């Protein structure tokens, strides 16, 4: 995030009578034309993120939920956007993904998940891959940028302005966890790997506390301190954090790796209520048929 934008944010936050919700609405479309909307599903406390380019009319959804997929598709249509991708940060255990139903509802929409998740999807991502949409696509490091089909981007695509959504593997909660980072490192969508003042559990779905600790410290905490953190869930009413906040204030991830493992091994959390339904459905990219 540029220093000028930071100064404007600070000025807004200091303005008398301005509440945080108003500030979020004020910045729902950035100066570079990237539209960002944070949506909420109450039952599983899941955040879905809409990223779009209003000029070229292309968009993607990160972590859509089955029960709110119609809401999301309606918003995309209202904003005059064309939905290219329904993206999953990982194979969720607490809700059924909306990516399957969105494929059925929205012509041309492709489902996306990590190859290491073992789940089915139209696009299987790996470390370093990108998702191009609108004007926000550019050549990645070492020329690894790919088309949605897995082929190389054409020369014309590489001439677009340098903004895209990068993929960073961040396993530990599950083997197939991904963090998506805007290429200017102004925002990261961390799924369940990093939550606000917390992190995803590591006691099922190939979870490993040591792996998660290193994923967060090496793939997320190495981003600039003012990089905004947008998690997949929140249970306390928080909406956004920053890398610097979580590096210094996260009660789990400020511990040593050894102490972090001890904490995670002794959480004794109940099994997610929807896990027996959600995981099998999400391995198939969610429900494919419209809800009755």
């Amino acid at each position: 995030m540029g220093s000028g934008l930071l100064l404007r944010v600070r000025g807004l936050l200091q303005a008398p009578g301005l509440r945080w919700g108003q500030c979020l609405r004020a910045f729902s479309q950035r100066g570079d034309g990237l539209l960002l909307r944070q949506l909420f599903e109450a039952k599983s406390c899941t955040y879905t993120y809409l990223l779009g380019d209003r000029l070229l009319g292309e968009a993607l959804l990160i972590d859509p939920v089955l029960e709110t997929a119609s809401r999301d598709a309606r918003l995309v249509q209202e904003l005059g956007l064309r939905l290219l991708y329904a993206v999953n940060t990982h194979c969720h255990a607490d809700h059924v993904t909306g990516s399957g139903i969105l494929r059925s509802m929205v012509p041309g929409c492709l489902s996306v998940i990590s190859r290491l998740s073992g789940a089915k999807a139209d696009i299987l991502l790996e470390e370093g891959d990108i998702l191009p949409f609108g004007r926000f696509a550019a050549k990645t490091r070492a020329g690894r940028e790919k088309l949605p089909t897995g082929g190389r981007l054409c020369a014309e695509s590489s001439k677009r302005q340098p903004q895209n959504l990068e993929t960073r593997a961040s396993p530990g909660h599950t083997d197939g966890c991904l963090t998506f980072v805007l290429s200017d490192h102004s925002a990261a969508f961390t799924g369940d790997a990093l939550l606000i003042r917390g992190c995803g559990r590591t006691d099922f779905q190939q979870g490993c506390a040591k792996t998660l600790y290193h994923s967060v410290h090496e793939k997320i905490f190495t981003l600039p301190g003012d990089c905004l953190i947008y998690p997949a869930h929140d249970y306390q009413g928080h909406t956004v954090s920053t890398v610097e906040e979580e590096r210094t204030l996260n009660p789990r991830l400020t511990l040593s790796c050894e102490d972090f493992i001890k904490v995670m091994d002794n959480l004794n959390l109940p099994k997610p209520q929807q896990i027996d339904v959600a995981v099998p459905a999400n391995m198939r990219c969610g429900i494919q048929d419209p809800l009755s």
Side-chain angles (χ1 to χ4, degrees):
M1 181 182 292
S3 58
L5 179 56
L6 280 173
L7 289 173
R8 292 198 296 275
V9 171
R10 292 189 183 113
L12 278 170
L13 290 176
Q14 293 168 359
L18 182 67
R19 290 181 291 183
W20 178 240
Q22 293 172 307
C23 185
L24 284 178
R25 287 194 294 273
F27 286 90
S28 62
Q29 182 166 321
R30 303 174 357 150
D32 59 5
L34 177 66
L35 179 144
L36 167 61
R37 296 293 172 85
Q38 184 182 50
L39 307 166
F40 188 65
E41 191 279 315
K43 184 175 181 180
S44 61
C45 295
T46 299
Y47 285 126
T48 297
Y49 297 96
L50 169 63
L51 298 177
D53 177 359
R54 293 292 293 272
L55 182 62
L56 294 187
E58 295 181 346
L60 60 85
L61 286 164
I62 298 176
D63 284 335
V65 179
L66 176 64
E67 287 79 4
T68 48
S70 295
R71 174 203 65 186
D72 300 344
R74 185 167 58 251
L75 177 60
V76 170
Q77 184 178 38
E78 289 172 351
L79 294 174
L81 301 171
R82 180 168 64 93
L83 186 63
L84 300 183
Y85 313 115
V87 183
N88 298 283
T89 55
H90 63 291
C91 183
H92 298 273
D94 55 2
H95 67 270
V96 176
T97 177
S99 57
I101 196 69
L102 285 165
R103 289 176 74 251
S104 301
M105 294 170 57
V106 182
C109 176
L110 301 176
S111 59
V112 182
I113 201 167
S114 165
R115 184 179 301 277
L116 294 177
S117 70
K120 295 180 179 179
D122 299 309
I123 302 173
L124 300 176
L125 293 177
E126 299 175 356
E127 170 81 21
D129 287 344
I130 74 156
L131 283 175
F133 67 102
R135 293 164 294 153
F136 309 107
K139 190 173 182 180
T140 58
R141 296 181 303 275
R144 294 194 67 238
E145 185 175 1
K146 299 177 182 179
L147 288 166
T149 56
R152 299 291 175 179
L153 274 178
C154 63
E156 183 63 29
S157 296
S158 67
K159 296 178 183 178
R160 298 176 183 177
Q161 65 184 53
Q163 179 66 278
N164 56 57
L165 199 63
E166 302 173 356
T167 301
R168 295 190 177 199
S170 48
H173 173 61
T174 73
D175 280 351
C177 286
L178 298 175
T179 290
F180 295 99
V181 182
L182 290 176
S183 62
D184 64 0
H185 294 174
S186 61
F189 303 87
T190 56
D192 284 19
L194 177 63
L195 306 179
I196 298 174
R197 308 300 192 266
C199 62
R201 61 195 292 177
T202 58
D203 57 336
F204 60 82
Q205 282 187 288
Q206 313 93 40
C208 174
K210 182 178 181 180
T211 299
L212 179 59
Y213 186 89
H214 288 290
S215 289
V216 173
H217 279 264
E218 295 169 12
K219 298 296 182 67
I220 301 174
F221 283 177
T222 52
L223 290 164
D226 59 359
C227 176
L228 298 175
I229 296 296
Y230 289 106
H233 302 281
D234 190 83
Y235 309 98
Q236 305 297 326
H238 299 293
T239 56
V240 63
S241 184
T242 67
V243 167
E244 183 62 23
E245 282 187 37
E246 298 308 314
R247 275 198 302 232
T248 57
L249 300 175
N250 192 297
R252 296 179 185 174
L253 289 155
T254 51
L255 299 172
S256 67
C257 183
E258 181 180 356
D259 288 340
F260 175 79
I261 293 170
K262 291 178 181 177
V263 169
M264 299 305 292
D265 286 348
N266 290 281
L267 291 178
N268 298 317
L269 297 171
K271 186 174 74 170
Q273 293 183 359
Q274 298 191 66
I275 187 171
D276 293 333
V277 174
V279 172
N282 292 337
M283 292 297 289
R284 302 190 304 273
C285 188
I287 306 298
Q288 306 295 316
D289 300 321
L291 296 176
S292 57

